[in-house]
Amino acid sequence: MTSTTERPVASREPSWWDKQGDLIMRRPFNEWTFTHMNWLMPTERVARGATHLPLRADNRPLPVRYTFSGHEHTLAELHRRTFTTAFVVLHRGVIVHETYPGAFTGPRTRMQLFSLSKSVTSILVGIALDEGLIGSEKDQITDYRPDFLGTAYEGNTIAELLDMTTGVGDLETWEVPDSGIKRFEQTIMGGGDIADVVRAATRTAPAGERFNYSTFDTQMLGWVLEAATGQSLASYASTRLWQKLGCDRDAYYWLTRGRPRTAIGGGSLNATARDVARIGLLMAGDGVAGGEQIVSRDWVRRSRGNDKPQLAVGSLGPSGYDHYGYANQWWTLGSEHSGAFTGLGVHGQYLYVYPDAEVVIVKCSAWPTQDDARRDAETVAALRSVADHLARTR
């Protein structure tokens, strides 16, 4: 999600080198790049375990129609209109529908998840709290990363990172070359230390006062997690999630090109759609997988929403669409959607979780633009229709 307000005027003309990220994300090239990031960037493996727990499958057509903007559409139309590359639907833990409309996709294809990675980082933080490796959500960032003393993040807590209420940083405006997120992207692709970019962020609001969608906040969260655990994101994700979930295939985080190389906790996880669905099943099942409590029930419930007015559905301000709220690095949909919530990534990546109906839906896409309010609204309408259809088949 990026800013929905008017974009400021760029102060300089970007070079070809600056535009690498734009080229990678442009259609039709992004159908290939979003499934081959390991060909383009250094990576670190998220190893699956020796025990594989296959998902049961009863794949069948879904005769679902959804209404958007006064017109009815089929799922085939959804995929065409929103550039779907992978679509996996689970009901009661069983794959009931699976299709891969993308030119380079299939059940073993690892998909670039973008900011859906943020929701996985949140789960890992919850596990670290359960294990006592992180003392409390109220701990300050600088308790774990003292090298951020003297920056705008001094005084902020882990809880504020989780809910993106730190008050640090500007609106995420991808279209402006000198915006913070574009400098972050250009440093990732072109070399340099992204910590310097994050340290340069300024305070724009008091801590805890308002929501501001921020990849910087999640990057800080990932760095706090690595400092607390003494492990990289990939290593911790492997032992605490991928191995325990019995995943189909190793995942990976791509890393910054410049040294010190680091994963992007807010955007560089790549995994198969089925393995992403396993994450959804974990969240739909109150943190239990394979009979084991992987992350606490309370942590999962926190991710479904809270009572903070600035995070309520429709109250996020200029960096969130009106049909979303936010909690714990997840986008909430509120009581109107029966408590459903979703992980989101730019260019149309979704992990939609509807616990009451025991439905999990993964939709990966290759939108032409990072954000698209209309395609997002249409996708949410379609996913809700799928969930409601399955709920009626109980």
Side-chain angles (χ1 to χ4, degrees):
M1 192 69 63
T2 61
S3 170
T4 57
T5 61
E6 184 177 348
R7 312 305 191 199
V9 176
S11 62
R12 68 178 180 86
E13 185 67 26
S15 68
W16 180 90
W17 188 252
D18 289 336
K19 292 182 178 180
Q20 287 181 83
D22 297 333
L23 294 172
I24 285 173
M25 295 183 181
R26 182 180 300 167
R27 284 198 62 83
F29 311 115
N30 61 4
E31 288 240 5
W32 185 87
T33 56
F34 292 177
T35 55
H36 293 82
M37 289 300 293
N38 56 328
W39 289 33
L40 303 171
M41 302 291 289
T43 64
E44 184 176 357
R45 183 170 65 120
V46 180
R48 69 180 183 90
T51 301
H52 177 222
L53 302 175
L55 293 171
R56 290 182 295 147
D58 181 18
N59 196 8
R60 57 184 184 268
L62 278 181
V64 173
R65 300 184 73 87
Y66 67 94
T67 301
F68 178 70
S69 195
H71 299 281
E72 276 200 351
H73 300 284
T74 65
L75 290 182
E77 290 174 305
L78 171 75
H79 301 327
R80 177 179 55 81
R81 290 162 60 89
T82 64
F83 301 98
T84 304
T85 56
F87 194 73
V88 180
V89 181
L90 281 76
H91 187 213
R92 301 175 187 159
V94 178
I95 297 173
V96 295
H97 184 73
E98 183 176 32
T99 185
Y100 294 90
F104 304 99
T105 56
R108 289 186 56 78
T109 305
R110 292 176 293 193
M111 318 295 293
Q112 162 63 2
L113 300 176
F114 292 107
S115 290
L116 205 161
S117 308
K118 292 177 170 69
S119 301
V120 176
T121 298
S122 169
I123 296 171
L124 295 174
V125 169
I127 294 170
L129 280 161
D130 293 342
E131 293 179 339
L133 298 173
I134 294 175
S136 167
E137 298 168 42
K138 297 179 181 178
D139 289 354
Q140 294 196 3
I141 295 166
T142 52
D143 293 340
Y144 300 86
R145 287 296 300 253
D147 53 319
F148 278 83
L149 288 166
T151 73
Y153 279 108
E154 183 174 352
N156 278 123
T157 65
I158 293 171
E160 290 159 355
L161 291 177
L162 286 161
D163 287 337
M164 295 195 179
T165 58
T166 60
V168 176
D170 53 12
L171 292 172
E172 287 206 355
T173 49
W174 290 88
E175 296 88 345
V176 178
D178 286 334
S179 68
I181 192 63
K182 286 304 291 185
R183 292 195 300 272
F184 187 75
E185 178 194 76
Q186 289 157 10
T187 303
I188 288 170
M189 303 297 295
D193 187 352
I194 60 170
D196 292 338
V197 179
V198 178
R199 287 190 186 99
T202 58
R203 178 161 296 282
T204 54
E209 183 176 280
R210 64 170 173 83
F211 174 80
N212 181 48
Y213 184 75
S214 172
T215 297
F216 287 12
D217 281 4
T218 316
Q219 190 61 34
M220 286 299 316
L221 196 62
W223 285 336
V224 165
L225 180 66
E226 290 182 331
T229 63
Q231 298 182 51
S232 67
L233 273 179
S235 176
Y236 197 66
S238 169
T239 58
R240 278 19 178 226
L241 277 180
W242 246 246
Q243 293 183 28
K244 293 189 176 185
L245 296 178
C247 288
D248 284 349
R249 193 174 182 195
D250 294 348
Y252 66 86
Y253 286 92
W254 52 257
L255 310 175
T256 56
R257 284 179 176 160
R259 298 181 186 276
R261 285 182 172 158
T262 184
I264 308 302
S268 72
L269 181 61
N270 287 244
T272 70
R274 287 185 179 185
D275 287 341
V276 176
R278 286 177 162 88
I279 298 290
L281 287 176
L282 178 71
M283 297 300 285
D286 278 338
V288 174
E292 181 181 356
Q293 191 79 47
I294 306 297
V295 65
S296 72
R297 179 179 183 272
D298 287 346
W299 191 258
V300 174
R301 293 301 172 100
R302 172 191 165 126
S303 304
R304 297 181 185 180
N306 56 49
D307 58 1
K308 297 176 183 176
Q310 69 271 37
L311 300 178
V313 173
S315 301
L316 298 181
S319 61
Y321 297 142
D322 287 345
H323 52 275
Y324 288 123
Y326 202 77
N328 223 27
Q329 305 278 309
W330 292 82
W331 298 89
T332 60
L333 289 158
S335 57
E336 186 176 324
H337 286 255
S338 303
F341 59 109
T342 187
L344 289 180
V346 292
H347 292 276
Q349 321 313 316
Y350 293 81
L351 172 55
Y352 180 91
V353 183
Y354 192 158
D356 289 353
E358 299 178 87
V359 170
V360 170
I361 306 172
V362 176
K363 181 186 188 300
C364 298
S365 317
W367 289 357
T369 56
Q370 280 93 344
D371 279 324
D372 187 313
R374 188 173 176 83
R375 285 193 178 98
D376 176 77
E378 179 167 359
T379 298
V380 171
L383 300 185
R384 173 64 189 270
S385 293
V386 171
D388 287 346
H389 168 80
L390 293 171
R392 291 191 295 269
T393 66
R394 283 176 177 270

